[in-house]
Amino acid sequence: DPAMLAYLDNDKNKKQNPNENFAREIMELFSLGEGNYTEQDIKEAARALTGWVTRDGRATFLPRNHDSHDKTILGTTQNFDADQFVDLLLAQPACPKWVARKLLVHFEGREPSSARVEDYARFLKTSNWRIDAFLRRLFEDPAFYADDLIGARISSPIEYLVGSSRRLALD
């Protein structure tokens, strides 16, 4: 995404001087969570993400800036590019658990049980990472409407404003 590339300084991520910001955030915040990778994994992943920049508001790949040598990430060695790196993350056992937990916490407003996370993680992986299928299952799950869960999620200020505007039929 161009916004992520720009925000996390991937424009500065070149084979001569890899920038670790984007690699760290992908692993820590979006796929695996802390403790499921090493600092060396981040350094190597940054190399896999070299060459991606933002040009005219679009994500653009510049092959001359990409490190095309072998990298060892999460115990696997190959000439990773960005897509192969993401595929590697998705194949990690921690990834579906991390994503499922984040979605459950966001929509339910509390920490789910480990059994619930495991169940939804399995579903996420077997549904080929279809978030729409995950959400459909969640919203059809009777446990989602349990008395102790209804109202547990606290809306952010923006969600509160948008929700109020919709209820009042304001533009």
Side-chain angles (χ1 to χ4, degrees):
D1 182 86
M4 293 299 289
L5 291 173
Y7 181 71
L8 294 170
D9 301 321
N10 212 72
D11 286 352
K12 299 174 185 168
N13 191 10
K14 298 179 173 64
K15 64 183 168 187
Q16 303 86 351
N17 188 22
N19 183 302
E20 300 170 9
N21 289 354
F22 195 38
R24 183 179 306 279
E25 298 304 319
I26 287 174
M27 295 173 91
E28 184 175 324
L29 298 179
F30 301 114
S31 64
L32 302 179
E34 288 185 60
N36 293 301
Y37 57 87
T38 67
E39 284 298 312
Q40 188 61 33
D41 291 325
I42 292 169
K43 291 177 189 312
E44 296 287 283
R47 294 176 53 218
L49 297 170
T50 55
W52 281 98
V53 298
T54 304
R55 295 286 186 270
D56 299 321
R58 301 180 96 136
T60 304
F61 182 66
L62 303 176
R64 71 180 179 275
N65 291 340
H66 178 66
D67 182 336
S68 59
H69 296 93
D70 280 355
K71 303 138 189 98
T72 301
I73 307 170
L74 300 167
T76 302
T77 301
Q78 71 181 55
N79 180 11
F80 284 100
D81 63 16
D83 289 337
Q84 293 163 330
F85 169 55
V86 170
D87 288 343
L88 178 68
L89 293 176
L90 293 173
Q92 300 304 303
C95 191
K97 293 176 192 173
W98 178 256
V99 174
R101 184 191 152 280
K102 289 294 240 180
L103 288 168
L104 289 167
V105 167
H106 177 78
F107 285 101
E108 294 183 341
R110 67 174 181 194
E111 191 64 39
S113 69
S114 59
R116 189 161 174 79
V117 170
E118 290 286 341
D119 179 43
Y120 275 89
R122 271 191 306 278
F123 179 81
L124 189 59
K125 192 146 182 166
T126 59
S127 69
N128 199 28
W129 297 94
R130 296 275 316 254
I131 301 298
D132 60 335
F134 180 99
L135 294 177
R136 178 170 283 108
R137 180 175 182 225
L138 177 63
F139 298 151
E140 291 176 352
D141 185 348
F144 183 73
Y145 300 97
D147 288 340
D148 63 332
L149 190 60
I150 297 294
R153 184 175 178 280
I154 299 172
S155 298
S156 72
I158 292 295
E159 291 169 321
Y160 183 77
L161 177 65
V162 170
S164 297
S165 295
R166 285 182 177 168
R167 283 188 289 281
L168 295 171
L170 302 173
D171 289 332

